[in-house]
């Protein structure tokens, strides 16, 4: 089976969808001839033609607006916002238009667009190339938000997102595009080679939206994570020496509430890990859901490990980034409660 | 010390406020027939004076003159007149319904009826309009059922949008009418995307979109123009310059510095400035832009120069910010009166038939409102409550399923 990194897996998903469906087309800043600043669309214009994968003006609101109009016509546009930090000029289009079109028109019009955007830190991007804005999208009714953590899921989730008839935002953890990262920034870089989830089948397959994956089974505590943090969580669990169950949520909206509640009811403890700032973060929603649905099973307070409530500081990247050491502390606290 | 003047901050003010005499003296109006008509396939650089002209066909004697005369059959003009009169009759009746507490909100298109009616009749059934809330005439020209409009305005059990939208924020796909949102200008770019999709598919359909002059200040307006220009999208982008954005006069949007049609110059697309109260001029300019779009020559920006004769909505009183009789002094007159006088001048109409039509349309509206009232005015009748949870997504996720169950519907 072919071995791919996450960039190659995403490229392969786009390549195969372009080949299979003439209504799929790709556009965004620098995605055409050049193939995107992270190379995700490399070679697609040359292979599929100018009108299938092309560059846009630097106008994120215009990109999303154009995609919504194309979706209303009947196409399935896939657009790239170069960094998730740059998506905010398009916020009105996503919130007031893409997310609401089906509802307000009583199903006459809808916007089946897919928005791909690299997010997250750990690349010395400073505060405008490092943010994790998932919670501002999960709060918006009518939007779906997914986050892959490995090449296999990246391809399958992207294909499912493109085929979905509702707007989907796919946040791509750019720190793990080229290899898994466990948060130990001072250790040698790893590639995806040898990782079981780097084996990516050719041909179209789907990772369904709304299904979490159990990455590691355990009985003592449930860890909820997504994106880069799945790899950080594995390292932290290992270093804490606890029998933790790790769920990779993969899809935040729709959320796999059944997998979460089943795991926490089994373990009785829950630690939530995300890179985004803590206050008002998606961890707050997860914590509330677990409390509402698993209270009688809880043996310890729910813990959240997250980025600090500061902008992402360039010089203090690794102080901000919630690495394995902070997870270890939280895991020990819930186990000793 | 130096001799330079101190800086001063300029805040534009309209020429007249309540209590003043309306003042349109500063307005330069080319005569009917005076503004040239470029060939539809002419290169854009050859027509860069167009944004400073004014396309007018009907002269002061109500005759059609000049190169923009579309030479329309009387039958088309009768259709147009009827739809404009129906729009106004409907607006007047539903505005009163709001005053009577039968609904929460209403907005009239009084004085602007020629624009949507002419464009709706001119374009093909399969083209798509991306409307504002002041283009009811589009639907009237295409015989949208009046009862469906009334039911939408009452948010009652017959509401085709099942009570989800503020009154008049319609959606009517089968009539080439895209869903309206309350956010201004956010669908201008959708029209460009829709038109690009049509071109991508090798289709022959084009899009038309509206914003008001106030909304030309929004970033989305300029983004849409950029995309339309870059990709030569087959789209007609219209700025309805009705002089007022709620209480802000057009100078707050930049009208004192240049025309709104002139925004096209920076994007290298044609910019036409049209008398929006002249049915024939609106038709002719739209026809020109549509032919150009279908020839793969891209987008046109059209400024429709008109006057918002009523308030912004039921929520404002225009006498608080402009002279009460300003609409009556508008130098380009009333669009319905002008088309009526033109038909009379052609020998195709008379006062008697006009009065009879007016009366028949009022009856038609009254019957529709009564039928809507029989279903129920706002709050007296509602769509099925459970439908509130539908269409958030194509398939509901567990949140809406659980919450619907929690409500017991």
């Amino acid at each position: 089976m072919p071995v791919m990194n996450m960039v190659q897996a995403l490229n392969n998903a786009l390549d195969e969808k372009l080949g299979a469906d003439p209504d799929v087309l790709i556009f965004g800043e620098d995605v055409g001839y050049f193939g995107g600043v992270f190379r995700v669309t490399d070679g697609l214009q040359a292979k599929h033609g100018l009108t299938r994968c092309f560059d846009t003006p630097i106008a994120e609101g215009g990109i999303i607006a154009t995609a919504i109009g194309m979706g209303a016509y009947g196409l399935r546009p896939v657009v790239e916002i170069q960094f998730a930090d740059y998506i905010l000029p398009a916020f009105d289009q996503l919130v007031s238009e893409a997310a609401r079109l089906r509802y307000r028109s009583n199903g006459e019009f809808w916007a089946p667009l897919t928005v791909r955007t690299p997010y997250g830190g750990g690349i010395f991007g400073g505060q405008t190339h490092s943010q994790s804005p998932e919670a501002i999208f999960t709060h918006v009714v009518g939007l779906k938000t997914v986050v892959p953590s490995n090449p296999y899921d990246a391809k399958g989730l992207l294909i499912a997102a493109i085929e979905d008839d509702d707007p989907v935002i796919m946040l791509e953890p750019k720190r793990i595009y080229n290899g898994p990262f466990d948060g130990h920034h001072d250790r040698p870089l790893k590639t995806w080679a040898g990782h079981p989830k780097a084996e990516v089948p050719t041909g179209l397959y789907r990772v369904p939206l709304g299904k979490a994956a159990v990455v590691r089974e355990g009985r003592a505590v449930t860890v909820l994570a997504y994106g880069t943090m799945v790899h950080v969580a594995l390292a932290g669990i290992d270093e804490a020496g606890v029998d933790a169950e790790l769920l990779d949520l993969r899809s935040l909206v729709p959320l796999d509430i059944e997998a979460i509640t089943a795991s926490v009811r089994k373990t009785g403890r829950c630690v939530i890990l995300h890179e985004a700032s803590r206050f008002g973060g998606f961890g707050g929603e997860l914590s509330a859901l677990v409390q509402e649905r698993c209270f009688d099973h809880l043996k310890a307070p729910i813990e959240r490990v997250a980025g600090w409530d500061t902008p992402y500081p360039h010089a203090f990247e690794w102080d901000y980034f919630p690495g394995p050491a902070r997870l270890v502390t939280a895991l020990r606290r819930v186990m000793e409660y | 010390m130096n001799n330079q003047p101190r800086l001063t901050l300029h805040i534009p003010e309209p020429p007249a406020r309540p209590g003043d005499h309306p003042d349109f003296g500063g307005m330069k109006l080319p005569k009917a027939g005076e503004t040239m008509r470029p060939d539809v396939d002419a290169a854009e650089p050859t027509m860069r004076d167009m944004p400073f002209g004014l396309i007018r066909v009907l002269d002061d004697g109500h005759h059609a003159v000049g190169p923009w005369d579309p030479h329309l059959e009387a039958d088309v003009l009768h259709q147009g007149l009827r739809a404009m009169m129906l729009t106004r009759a409907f607006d007047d009746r539903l505005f009163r319904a709001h005053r009577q507490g039968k609904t929460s909100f209403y907005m009239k298109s009084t004085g602007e009826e020629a624009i949507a009616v002419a464009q709706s009749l001119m374009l093909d059934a399969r083209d798509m309009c991306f409307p504002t809330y002041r283009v009811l005439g589009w639907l009237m020209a295409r015989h949208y059922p009046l009862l469906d409009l009334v039911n939408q305005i009452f948010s009652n059990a017959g509401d085709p949008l099942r009570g989800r939208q503020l009154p008049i924020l319609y959606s009517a796909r089968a009539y080439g009418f895209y869903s309206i949102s309350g956010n201004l200008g956010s669908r201008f770019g959708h029209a460009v995307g829709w038109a690009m999709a049509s071109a991508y598919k090798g289709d022959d359909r084009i899009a038309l979109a509206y914003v008001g002059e106030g909304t030309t200040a929004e970033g989305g307006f300029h983004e849409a123009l950029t995309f339309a220009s870059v990709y030569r999208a087959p789209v007609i982008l219209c700025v309805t310059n009705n002089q007022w954005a709620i209480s802000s006069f057009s100078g707050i949007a930049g009208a004192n510095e240049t025309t709104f049609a002139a925004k096209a110059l920076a994007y290298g697309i044609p910019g036409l400035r049209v008398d929006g109260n002249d049915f024939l001029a609106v038709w002719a300019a739209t026809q020109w832009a549509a032919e150009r779009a279908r020839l793969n020559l891209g987008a046109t920006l059209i400024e429709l120069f008109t006057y918002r004769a009523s308030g912004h909505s039921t929520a404002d009183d225009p006498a608080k910010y402009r002279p009460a009789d300003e609409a009556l002094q508008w130098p380009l007159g009333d669009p319905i009166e002008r088309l009526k006088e033109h038909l009379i001048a052609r020998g195709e109409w008379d006062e008697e038939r006009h009065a009879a039509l007016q009366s028949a349309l009022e009856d038609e509206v009254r019957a529709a409102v009564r039928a809507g009232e029989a279903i129920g005015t706002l709050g007296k009748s509602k769509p099925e409550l459970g439908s509130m949870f539908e269409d958030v997504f194509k398939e509901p996720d567990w949140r809406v399923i659980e919450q619907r169950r929690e409500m017991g519907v």
Side-chain angles (χ1 to χ4, degrees):
Chain A
M1 191 174 291
V3 172
M4 296 186 196
N5 64 30
M6 200 184 282
V7 171
Q8 292 163 332
L10 291 162
N11 181 275
N12 181 245
L14 294 171
D15 183 18
E16 292 185 1
K17 281 307 293 179
L18 285 171
D21 185 351
D23 289 339
V24 171
L25 77 172
I26 298 165
F27 51 97
E29 295 157 16
D30 301 301
V31 306
Y33 184 89
F34 178 60
V37 297
F38 289 103
R39 319 303 305 146
V40 173
T41 56
D42 189 27
L44 297 180
Q45 186 182 80
K47 180 172 175 182
H48 296 279
L50 205 54
T51 63
R52 305 296 305 282
C53 179
F54 56 86
D55 292 332
T56 61
I58 304 171
E60 291 77 14
I63 292 168
I64 302 295
T66 302
I68 294 168
M70 288 182 170
Y73 180 93
L75 303 184
R76 290 192 180 276
V78 184
V79 300
E80 177 176 305
I81 300 296
Q82 202 164 75
F83 286 85
D85 313 74
Y86 302 167
I87 206 167
L88 297 177
F91 199 51
D92 186 42
Q93 285 295 330
L94 290 166
V95 176
S96 309
E97 298 295 336
R100 302 292 151 76
L101 186 58
R102 180 190 294 282
Y103 191 79
R104 75 173 193 235
S105 71
N106 193 25
E108 282 195 338
F109 297 96
W110 60 94
L113 68 151
T114 301
V115 182
R116 298 180 33 250
T117 187
Y119 87 102
I123 61 154
F124 276 109
Q127 59 180 282
T128 56
H129 300 78
S130 303
Q131 296 172 86
S132 297
E134 65 272 18
I136 63 176
F137 297 113
T138 56
H139 186 61
V140 177
V141 291
L143 288 181
K144 296 181 178 178
T145 303
V146 301
V147 191
S149 70
N150 60 66
Y152 179 90
D153 285 352
K155 178 175 173 181
L157 277 173
L158 181 53
I159 290 167
I162 294 169
E163 293 175 352
D164 196 273
D165 283 333
D166 290 305
V168 182
I169 296 177
M170 179 149 162
L171 293 162
E172 298 172 0
K174 58 184 175 288
R175 184 61 179 80
I176 58 171
Y177 267 154
N178 295 306
F181 175 62
D182 64 7
H184 289 291
H185 57 94
D186 45 358
R187 294 182 187 170
L189 290 175
K190 285 184 193 150
T191 69
W192 282 105
H195 194 285
K197 290 289 185 179
E199 290 182 9
V200 177
T202 53
L204 295 171
Y205 67 88
R206 290 98 194 151
V207 170
L209 310 186
K211 288 287 171 209
V214 178
V215 179
R216 182 192 194 281
E217 288 189 8
R219 281 166 300 174
V221 53
T222 298
V223 177
L224 303 178
Y226 45 90
T228 305
M229 290 299 126
V230 170
H231 305 276
V232 174
L234 274 174
I237 290 164
D238 197 38
E239 288 158 31
V242 295
D243 182 22
E245 180 146 293
L246 172 59
L247 260 62
D248 176 358
L249 298 180
R250 301 199 288 197
S251 171
L252 309 187
V253 177
L255 183 68
D256 191 347
I257 191 66
E258 287 176 12
I260 294 169
T261 51
S263 179
V264 178
R265 282 174 186 169
K266 180 176 75 174
T267 63
R269 296 180 180 85
C270 181
V271 175
I272 298 156
L273 176 62
H274 64 57
E275 191 180 341
S277 295
R278 177 182 165 115
F279 187 91
F282 192 63
E285 182 60 40
L286 291 172
S287 175
L289 286 167
V290 169
Q291 187 274 133
E292 286 162 2
R293 287 157 197 260
C294 308
F295 184 78
D296 291 341
H297 301 265
L298 287 175
K299 299 170 197 157
I302 301 160
E303 287 264 355
R304 284 182 290 162
V305 179
W308 304 122
D309 288 313
T310 70
Y312 216 120
H314 189 245
F316 304 114
E317 175 143 86
W318 301 118
D319 303 286
Y320 177 95
F321 186 93
R326 281 166 60 192
L327 179 62
V328 168
T329 304
L331 287 171
R332 290 197 174 136
R333 213 161 32 224
V334 297
M335 293 312 297
E336 289 161 11
Y337 181 80
Chain B
M1 292 287 285
N2 63 40
N3 290 326
Q4 284 189 331
R6 280 173 177 268
L7 296 172
T8 58
L9 177 64
H10 174 65
I11 311 290
E13 270 284 80
R17 285 294 193 186
D20 298 336
H21 287 294
D23 178 7
F24 296 112
M27 198 181 285
K28 290 193 196 96
L29 294 177
K31 289 190 170 59
E34 189 178 312
T35 296
M36 66 166 226
R37 183 182 187 279
D39 292 337
V40 291
D41 59 352
E44 181 275 331
T46 66
M47 54 180 103
R48 289 188 177 165
D49 52 347
M50 291 302 293
F52 307 102
L54 188 68
I55 296 169
R56 302 178 61 190
V57 174
L58 292 172
D59 68 10
D60 294 344
H62 310 297
H63 297 287
V65 297
W68 287 93
D69 179 3
H71 301 287
L72 295 178
E73 301 289 333
D75 176 48
V76 175
L77 301 183
H78 283 134
Q79 287 179 49
L81 183 67
R82 184 185 191 283
M84 288 161 67
M85 291 169 68
L86 180 58
T87 303
R88 189 167 296 183
F90 188 88
D91 274 349
D92 288 343
R93 184 66 190 76
L94 273 294
F95 191 86
R96 284 207 308 281
H98 169 265
R99 290 288 186 253
Q100 293 162 349
K102 291 173 182 168
T103 190
S104 57
F105 185 71
Y106 196 75
M107 303 176 92
K108 300 165 81 172
S109 17
T110 313
E112 303 174 35
E113 295 92 341
I115 295 167
V117 169
Q119 297 192 309
S120 179
L121 289 174
M122 198 281 123
L123 290 179
D124 292 347
R126 295 173 66 249
D127 295 330
M128 185 64 76
C129 165
F130 292 74
T132 62
Y133 40 66
R134 231 181 284 284
V135 293
L136 174 60
W138 181 282
L139 293 172
M140 293 303 194
R142 295 185 178 205
H143 304 287
Y144 187 84
L146 297 189
L147 179 56
D148 285 353
L149 296 174
V150 173
N151 289 337
Q152 197 279 332
I153 291 161
F154 290 166
S155 282
N156 65 19
D159 179 355
L161 301 183
R162 296 203 280 181
R164 292 171 182 172
Q165 280 274 51
L166 196 65
I168 83 160
L169 300 189
Y170 312 114
S171 176
R173 186 170 188 146
Y175 296 79
F177 192 91
Y178 190 68
S179 161
I180 307 177
S181 122
N183 302 43
L184 295 181
S186 49
R187 280 90 53 229
F188 223 45
H190 299 191
V192 176
W194 195 96
M196 287 171 67
S198 181
Y200 170 86
K201 293 296 279 184
D203 201 346
D204 59 359
R205 306 161 72 188
I206 64 171
L208 175 144
Y210 297 101
V211 291
E213 88 285 352
T215 302
T216 62
E218 288 280 8
F221 171 79
H222 299 275
E223 291 176 348
L225 278 166
T226 301
F227 279 67
S229 167
V230 168
Y231 302 109
R232 294 187 191 162
V235 61
I236 304 172
L237 297 169
C238 300
V239 177
T240 304
N241 176 8
N242 65 12
Q243 315 301 320
W244 290 95
I246 305 186
S247 70
S248 300
F249 87 116
S250 59
I252 294 296
N256 290 353
E257 320 307 321
T258 188
T259 71
F260 294 101
K263 308 287 179 189
L265 295 173
Y267 300 97
I269 65 172
L272 307 181
R273 190 158 170 269
V274 182
D275 177 357
N277 291 12
D278 179 338
F279 181 91
L280 298 178
V282 175
W283 180 291
T286 307
Q287 185 174 38
W288 186 93
E291 279 180 29
R292 193 172 166 89
R294 289 190 220 277
L295 287 171
N296 264 320
L297 295 172
T300 298
L301 182 70
I302 301 180
E303 175 183 350
L304 297 146
F305 196 66
T306 184
Y307 187 86
R308 194 195 74 206
S310 294
H312 168 71
S313 72
T314 45
D316 70 317
D317 173 7
K320 294 242 167 74
Y321 49 79
R322 67 185 190 189
D325 60 340
E326 201 176 65
L328 297 173
Q329 305 296 324
W330 180 246
L332 293 167
D334 176 81
I336 293 177
E337 282 301 308
R338 287 174 68 192
L339 186 56
K340 170 191 159 195
E341 293 298 336
H342 173 61
L343 276 165
I344 290 172
R346 279 175 65 162
E348 300 280 1
W349 199 237
D350 54 48
E351 292 289 355
E352 202 172 311
R353 275 190 278 175
H354 193 81
L357 177 59
Q358 178 68 29
S359 173
L361 294 175
E362 284 170 10
D363 288 348
E364 203 178 313
V365 170
R366 191 177 305 114
V369 172
R370 281 196 183 143
E373 286 171 351
I375 297 170
T377 55
L378 179 65
K380 310 281 190 215
S381 157
K382 288 181 182 176
E384 188 229 331
L385 182 56
S387 70
M388 180 173 104
F389 293 99
E390 293 166 11
D391 297 320
V392 178
F393 296 109
K394 187 177 183 186
E395 304 296 337
D397 73 5
W398 57 268
R399 297 173 297 170
V400 281
I401 292 169
E402 285 187 4
Q403 289 163 20
R404 184 172 182 165
R405 199 179 299 138
E406 190 178 329
M407 272 195 87
V409 292

